[in-house]
Amino acid sequence: MNLKYYLGCVVSFPLLPILYFQGKKILKKVPKLPEARNPKGYIKTASEKTLKILAIGESTLAGVGVDFHENGFIGALAKEISKKTNSSILWHVYAKSGYTAKMIRKIIIPKIEETNADIIVIGLGGNDAFKLNSPEIWMLNINLLIKDLKRKFPKTPIYFANMPPIKEFPAFTFLIRFVIGNLVEILGKKLHRKVRTKKNETKCFLSN
């Protein structure tokens, strides 16, 4: 897996100036969308059982392009879990567009207010790929993130959402979709292999 990454680096290195200017051009053309509002929510049912969900991550979980979080990722997830478990759901989003796994661990995790949770969902990977972080750096920060969360929530299962489908984003050029998209897939496979060894502690929420 790492061999594929380093071969990709050799192929991509001469293309970095082109990628840089293409990225700058896209930033000028594509409007910067705000993050969703109201990061806390509650779904009330007739059940006496209530599940607490924490959603942590980058732009997808931050609800970029969505008016309110209840209409985005966490809202859809909470409704689905509520329906399948017949439970009321309390949810809280801790996410920021543009953040890498390292930034989440350093900046977001210390801000978590809750002392208990039933489910933790993490959505990361896109920004680490755009920063061209290696699989080793990616997994180092993922492992540290898991350890930090386990200190706060030792009995709470952690689920990782699917990696962002960079290759399907029409706003990106073919070159960006190829280079960054392939790196996202490499990071996703490393993550998937890692969480499979964690058994009930850490899982993939959606498989790649």
Side-chain angles (χ1 to χ4, degrees):
M1 183 61 66
N2 290 359
L3 177 61
K4 184 178 179 181
Y5 166 77
Y6 290 113
L7 286 174
C9 288
V10 172
V11 173
S12 303
F13 185 76
L15 304 174
L16 289 181
I18 301 174
L19 286 169
Y20 174 78
F21 286 110
Q22 285 184 351
K24 296 282 283 186
K25 188 175 180 180
I26 290 170
L27 285 175
K28 288 182 179 180
K29 290 176 61 178
V30 178
K32 186 175 182 180
L33 299 173
E35 298 176 356
R37 289 172 284 172
N38 295 1
K40 293 183 180 181
Y42 181 50
I43 296 177
K44 175 64 176 174
T45 67
S47 172
E48 295 182 359
K49 182 180 179 182
T50 299
L51 296 176
K52 296 181 181 179
I53 303 176
L54 301 183
I56 302 168
E58 55 187 18
S59 57
T60 303
L61 273 70
V64 170
V66 179
D67 51 0
F68 296 99
H69 277 287
E70 65 184 41
N71 298 322
F73 177 92
I74 185 60
L77 176 64
K79 289 173 187 174
E80 188 68 17
I81 293 176
S82 176
K83 183 169 64 175
K84 289 191 174 182
T85 63
N86 189 31
S87 304
S88 297
I89 305 290
L90 273 171
W91 51 263
H92 193 169
V93 177
Y94 291 92
K96 188 68 178 175
S97 178
Y99 274 25
T100 62
K102 182 178 181 180
M103 294 168 74
I104 291 292
R105 187 173 66 85
K106 294 285 189 179
I107 301 171
I108 297 294
I109 300 305
K111 295 180 179 179
I112 293 178
E113 303 168 351
E114 288 78 6
T115 56
N116 62 82
D118 297 293
I119 300 171
I120 295 174
V121 178
I122 299 174
L124 287 169
N127 294 309
D128 282 271
F130 274 102
K131 289 187 177 295
L132 302 179
N133 285 338
S134 70
E136 290 83 3
I137 291 175
W138 162 246
M139 290 313 304
L140 170 65
N141 286 306
I142 287 295
N143 286 328
L144 291 172
L145 176 60
I146 292 171
K147 287 181 180 178
D148 288 348
L149 286 170
K150 282 302 175 184
R151 289 193 196 100
K152 282 179 170 283
F153 309 100
K155 296 182 179 180
T156 304
I158 300 172
Y159 294 82
F160 281 88
N162 200 9
M163 303 289 278
I166 300 298
K167 288 184 176 180
E168 299 175 17
F169 288 5
F172 296 147
T173 64
F174 169 79
L175 191 58
I176 290 176
R177 291 199 302 267
F178 176 76
V179 174
I180 306 301
N182 282 332
L183 180 53
V184 163
E185 289 180 357
I186 291 171
L187 300 184
K189 288 176 181 177
K190 289 286 288 186
L191 176 61
H192 186 74
R193 288 168 61 187
K194 174 65 179 179
V195 299
R196 278 190 308 180
T197 67
K198 291 288 186 178
K199 298 182 180 179
N200 292 328
E201 293 181 2
T202 313
K203 311 171 185 180
C204 275
F205 175 63
L206 296 172
S207 61
N208 284 299

